[in-house]
């Protein structure tokens, strides 16, 4: 059985939900092997990135370190459950040889198959600012919460 590696800690709630979705999948006949590497970065760095006080590229080194930990644990499939860090995936692949499964990649693939014309996204302000979905779904109208509601997100 393949081992799934989750790059966690970028949003502990997202990490834990993904883990539970994987192990509770009704498609599986047995519990899968899952390793989580809680990405170690200075507390508050994520907030600084969201508030544009720090560049998103500052996450590359901690992510590479976590991927190397997961590789050492025999991981076959690597998952980055974070929209905001999507644009780092090519550099991470360049430095580690690992292709990351990401929510953006999966959403773009699904939307392209069903030819959806409008898509509502709930994401961080940074994801919205970076145009993560707009850059990949040029023919799809992307809808976000209002500015007021975005602050709650």
């Amino acid at each position: 059985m393949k081992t799934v590696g989750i790059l966690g800690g970028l949003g502990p709630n997202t990490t834990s939900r993904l883990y539970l979705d994987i192990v509770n999948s009704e498609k599986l006949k047995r519990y899968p092997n899952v390793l989580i590497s809680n990405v170690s970065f200075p507390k508050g760095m994520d907030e600084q990135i969201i508030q544009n006080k720090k560049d998103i590229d500052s996450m590359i080194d901690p992510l590479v370190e976590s991927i190397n930990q997961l590789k050492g644990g025999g991981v076959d499939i690597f998952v980055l459950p974070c929209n905001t860090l999507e644009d780092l995936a090519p550099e991470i692949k360049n430095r580690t040889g690992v292709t990351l499964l990401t929510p953006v990649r999966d959403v773009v693939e699904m939307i392209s198959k069903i030819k959806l014309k409008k898509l509502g996204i709930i994401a961080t302000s940074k994801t919205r600012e970076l145009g993560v979905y707009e850059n990949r779904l040029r023919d799809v109208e992307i809808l976000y919460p209002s500015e007021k509601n975005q602050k709650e997100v």
Side-chain angles (χ1 to χ4, degrees), residues 93-111:
K93 181 176 183 177
N94 185 44
R95 289 181 54 182
T96 65
V98 166
T99 298
L100 298 171
L101 297 180
T102 67
V104 175
R105 178 181 154 174
D106 291 343
V107 167
V108 168
E109 186 177 305
M110 182 178 61
I111 298 305

Side-chain angles (χ1 to χ4, degrees), residues 39-118:
V39 178
S40 179
F41 57 91
K43 286 186 176 183
M45 180 188 265
D46 50 344
E47 285 298 317
Q48 290 176 340
I49 289 170
I50 289 170
Q51 297 168 2
N52 289 321
K53 295 177 183 172
K54 199 162 189 89
D55 187 45
I56 200 163
D57 289 343
S58 61
M59 290 299 298
I60 291 177
D61 288 338
L63 286 164
V64 167
E65 186 176 319
S66 284
I67 288 170
N68 288 333
Q69 288 175 337
L70 292 169
K71 284 169 79 172
V75 166
D76 303 292
I77 302 165
F78 296 81
V79 183
L80 176 64
C82 179
N83 290 312
T84 305
L85 299 179
E86 172 71 23
D87 289 338
L88 300 181
E91 176 62 19
I92 290 168
K93 181 176 183 177
N94 185 44
R95 289 181 54 182
T96 65
V98 166
T99 298
L100 298 171
L101 297 180
T102 67
V104 175
R105 178 181 154 174
D106 291 343
V107 167
V108 168
E109 186 177 305
M110 182 178 61
I111 298 305
S112 297
K113 281 182 186 175
I114 63 174
K115 301 186 186 330
L116 197 68
K117 293 296 176 193
K118 281 187 182 181

Side-chain angles (χ1 to χ4, degrees), residues 112-149:
S112 297
K113 281 182 186 175
I114 63 174
K115 301 186 186 330
L116 197 68
K117 293 296 176 193
K118 281 187 182 181
L119 176 65
I121 299 284
I122 297 174
T124 65
S125 299
K126 191 66 170 182
T127 298
R128 187 175 181 169
E129 174 192 317
L130 292 170
V132 171
Y133 285 94
E134 290 86 349
N135 294 338
R136 290 159 179 82
L137 294 167
R138 298 200 187 278
D139 296 332
V140 177
E141 181 182 357
I142 308 295
L143 306 170
Y144 291 100
S146 67
E147 287 297 322
K148 177 185 171 198
N149 290 336

